[in-house]
Each structure stands twice: as structure tokens, then as C-alpha cells.
Amino acid sequence: MKLEQVWQDLHGLAETSFKEVKTTDYIAHMLEREGVRVQLFKKHTGLIAEVGSGEPVVGFRADMDALWQEVDGEMKANHSCGHDAHMTIGIGTLLALKKKENQLQGTFRCIFQPAEEQGNGSLSVIKNGGADGLSVLFGVHLRPKDELSFGEAAPSISHGGGIFYEGKITGEDLHGARPHQGVNAIEAGFALGQQLHTVRISPMVPHSVKMTSFHAGASNYNIIPGSATFALDVRAQTNEAMDELKLQIEGKVAAFSEMLGVKIVGDWVDYTPGADVNEEAEAIMREAIVQELGEDALRPRVVTPGSDDFHFYTIEKPELKACMLALGADLTPGLHHPDMRFNHDCLEQGVKVVMRAVEIAMGRD
């Protein structure tokens, strides 16, 4: 089966987090026809697929969900983060290893994981046994052209941590002619957003805090809104720095609430941890890149403020050796852009590198 056709099919089936029903069915039925062992998750979308037998069990995580965004004037599920490519590489690796199954020195397991974009799909997989028995786990992510060009690859990605704060300003609406009688929630939100710029941690650690959503008011423009909802996107390169940021933000919100005399509360949601790259897994992936793409293709570890729930696997299972392949694909204009494009020849390169890494990992166990 051609990788390009698989990608086209998956791209056309784009579904958002925990709604990847058609995607799950497509992958399961196709792999079963090829003689690959398939097990669906009972409590959520996604599946695991295996070839080979015995130990060690070497895994590969392929995220499945798409983003919900406006594309050419239409709101729709859209694979603008490359998850359709990651699934295609996982399928290609399974089918390639199936052909040489008798030569495998262990079991290869591909985890088709839902809800990466929601930041907690990996936790559901772990909770439902999808990572049980793994000794090594690899992942992959296409990289923007300004990080890696097509034909280049790095043995790991050092993601930062990310988390959202969902907040609410609660007060009473006012008549537009009587602003002195209370607090304008819009002005309170604007002032809070400015205050958050004063959050400071070490400049040696990349980090950011910004308001990414704010809703207040309705269709009657002569009402000053007393209530509003808002959201913050918070990023830090290390988990320790993230803890420090959270404490400072909570302090700012509490102090500002008291100063304005209006109730401001919120909750932290969808935490995604920073990377804890295993050096042994990284060394295996480095060797696989050199063997399959050549020494000239090898690039250093990619450090990015972006986040990925892949790293929950090592937090929940500290014994697991894991890293994520950074694959050059001439990807433009950028990840999450509705018109994201990439060189599809990277799919075959990804399969070759992942397959080689799996074989090396099995041989070293």
C-alpha cells in the first residue's frame, strides 16, 4: 500500500480530540486486512497494533487528532499539525516490519493515540494499559522549515511545558451612563492582561504568559458588562519553571481581584509537561538517522517552546526509555497554520528511520 494514499485517506478523515471514530475504524480495518494484530481501546478512540512476539516490546506513538479551525472561510477539523503524517509513518512501519516479522527480536507496538491536541490523550492510553510492558517508546513530529529542511532529522525534541488558565471575572452589569457604580469587566480584563506582563522568572529559561481569549458584553451596547471569561496560555521550557510561573500568576490574580474589588477566579486545565529525553533512546535514534539518511542529515536535538503530551509517558512510567524523532519536511507556513504544507517524501524517510530505530532497540535490549 502506498504511503501517499494512506496519508490522503487520513487527511480526509480529520477529526478532533476523542472524536477520532472514523480514523480509528480506518486504521483498524486496514491493518487487520494486512494480518497485523489490533486491539481497540474500550473507553475511548484509538488503538494499539502489534507485529512480532516476545520481549522487548518497542513502541511508537502516533497522534491522531486534528485541530478545529477556519479553513478557506469554513470552520472544520483540519490536520495542520502533521498528525496524519505521523499516523502514516506508524502504519508504514507496521507494514514494513510485518514483512520481516520472523526476523524481529521482540514485539513492535504502534500506539495510535487520541487527543494529543487536548494535552491529555496519552494519560487515557496509559490508564487503559496501552503502554504496559513497553521498554522503549519513540515518537515523531514533522518540523517547520525554519527548524529543519527536508532530508534533515534530529534524534529528539525537547518540548517545553504548557498549560491553560480558564478565568472568570464576576460582577454586576451597569448602565452605560453610570460607570462609577461598579467595575467594567472589560477594563478589569485589560488591566489584568497588562499586569501579567510583570510576571518574571529567570530569563535563562524560555517562558511566556499571554491572554488568548476574552469574552464580555452582549448585543446591548449601553450595558457595561460586570462579568467576563478569559483564558491564559502559559509556557515554560522546564517543569520547574512552569511551577514558578503558576504560583506568580495565581498571586497576581488574587492581588488584582482584591485591588479592584471584583471576584476573579480560575482553574488550571490541560497541563502538558516538558520533555525528559532519555539519552539511550536518543542515541538509538541518532544511529538510525545516520544509517538511513546519512551523517550529513543528522542535526542536534530540537529545542522548542511548543508542547506535546508524549512526555506524560515517561512521567507516568519513569522506567520507559523514550524520545521523539524530529523530521525535516520543508513544512510551511508553520504548524497549526490552516494552509500547512510539507514534502510528502518525508513519509518514506520517517518509516525507514523509525523501523531502523526499532530494530536497533530490539538488538540492544
Side-chain angles (χ1 to χ4, degrees):
M1 182 173 292
K2 292 184 178 180
L3 294 178
E4 176 63 23
Q5 184 59 57
V6 173
W7 179 87
Q8 291 282 357
D9 292 344
L10 291 170
H11 187 76
L13 291 173
E15 298 166 295
T16 54
S17 299
F18 286 123
K19 297 179 181 178
E20 310 93 336
V21 176
K22 293 179 181 178
T23 305
T24 299
D25 288 345
Y26 170 87
I27 296 172
H29 291 150
M30 182 185 64
L31 292 178
E32 286 175 338
R33 288 195 301 269
E34 298 294 331
V36 175
R37 300 190 303 276
V38 169
Q39 180 180 341
L40 301 178
F41 292 113
K42 295 180 180 179
K43 296 184 178 180
H44 56 76
T45 48
L47 65 145
I48 60 175
E50 292 183 342
V51 296
S53 61
E55 295 181 345
V57 182
V58 178
F60 175 78
R61 193 290 300 264
D63 32 17
M64 301 172 66
D65 54 334
L67 292 156
W68 185 257
Q69 60 186 162
E70 184 176 342
V71 183
D72 297 329
E74 177 188 0
M75 294 301 298
K76 61 188 295 187
N78 183 43
H79 274 302
S80 58
C81 198
H83 294 187
D84 44 1
H86 305 162
M87 288 185 284
T88 301
I89 291 170
I91 290 169
T93 304
L94 279 164
L95 298 182
L97 290 175
K98 177 64 179 176
K99 293 179 180 179
K100 52 194 308 186
E101 189 169 17
N102 294 334
Q103 303 172 37
L104 290 181
Q105 303 178 53
T107 302
F108 172 63
R109 177 187 301 169
C110 189
I111 302 171
F112 293 95
Q113 179 212 297
E116 186 279 326
E117 297 294 354
Q118 191 167 296
N120 55 16
S122 59
L123 290 174
S124 297
V125 167
I126 295 166
K127 181 180 179 181
N128 289 291
D132 289 355
L134 288 175
S135 59
V136 181
L137 179 65
F138 298 117
V140 66
H141 209 300
L142 305 188
R143 303 315 301 165
K145 185 175 175 59
D146 58 2
E147 289 184 3
L148 294 175
S149 297
F150 170 72
E152 300 176 337
S156 65
I157 304 174
S158 185
H159 286 101
I163 196 169
F164 303 127
Y165 182 86
E166 292 182 343
K168 186 174 183 180
I169 301 170
T170 304
E172 295 182 349
D173 290 350
L174 311 168
H175 192 289
R178 298 171 177 83
H180 61 288
Q181 292 181 345
V183 176
N184 186 331
I186 294 176
E187 294 176 351
F190 177 80
L192 176 60
Q194 294 300 307
Q195 184 69 15
L196 290 173
H197 290 310
T198 67
V199 171
R200 295 285 186 269
I201 63 172
S202 171
M204 302 301 291
V205 182
H207 63 279
S208 65
V209 180
K210 56 275 180 192
M211 190 173 290
T212 54
S213 176
F214 190 88
H215 297 277
S219 58
N220 293 109
Y221 299 151
N222 61 346
I223 296 176
I224 299 173
S227 298
T229 61
F230 65 92
L232 309 178
D233 178 286
V234 182
R235 309 270 172 163
Q237 199 61 46
T238 69
N239 296 321
E240 295 76 15
M242 176 63 76
D243 291 339
E244 188 176 350
L245 278 179
K246 288 172 63 179
L247 284 174
Q248 288 200 36
I249 291 168
E250 289 170 354
K252 295 285 187 183
V253 169
F256 212 66
S257 175
E258 183 176 356
M259 182 181 71
L260 291 178
V262 64
K263 185 179 180 181
I264 307 177
V265 297
D267 295 299
W268 296 105
V269 299
D270 293 344
Y271 169 60
T272 306
D276 183 11
V277 178
N278 179 269
E279 292 185 1
E280 185 176 345
E282 184 180 37
I284 291 171
M285 188 60 74
R286 183 181 298 111
E287 184 177 343
I289 292 170
V290 171
Q291 288 187 18
E292 293 299 327
L293 304 183
E295 188 79 41
D296 291 342
L298 181 65
R299 294 293 180 269
R301 177 188 298 185
V302 170
V303 179
T304 171
S307 59
D308 196 296
D309 76 348
F310 177 83
H311 306 295
F312 271 124
Y313 288 100
T314 50
I315 287 179
E316 297 297 314
K317 292 183 173 293
E319 73 281 3
L320 188 58
K321 303 169 186 175
C323 73
M324 179 178 284
L325 167 68
L327 189 62
D330 282 349
L331 189 155
T332 58
L335 293 169
H336 290 204
H337 190 286
D339 297 321
M340 187 272 278
R341 300 288 185 271
F342 66 94
N343 186 333
H344 291 194
D345 290 339
C346 75
L347 298 172
E348 183 177 353
Q349 292 186 344
V351 170
K352 289 180 178 180
V353 172
V354 172
M355 184 170 68
R356 180 63 62 196
V358 169
E359 292 174 332
I360 295 171
M362 287 182 176
R364 287 187 181 177
D365 189 84

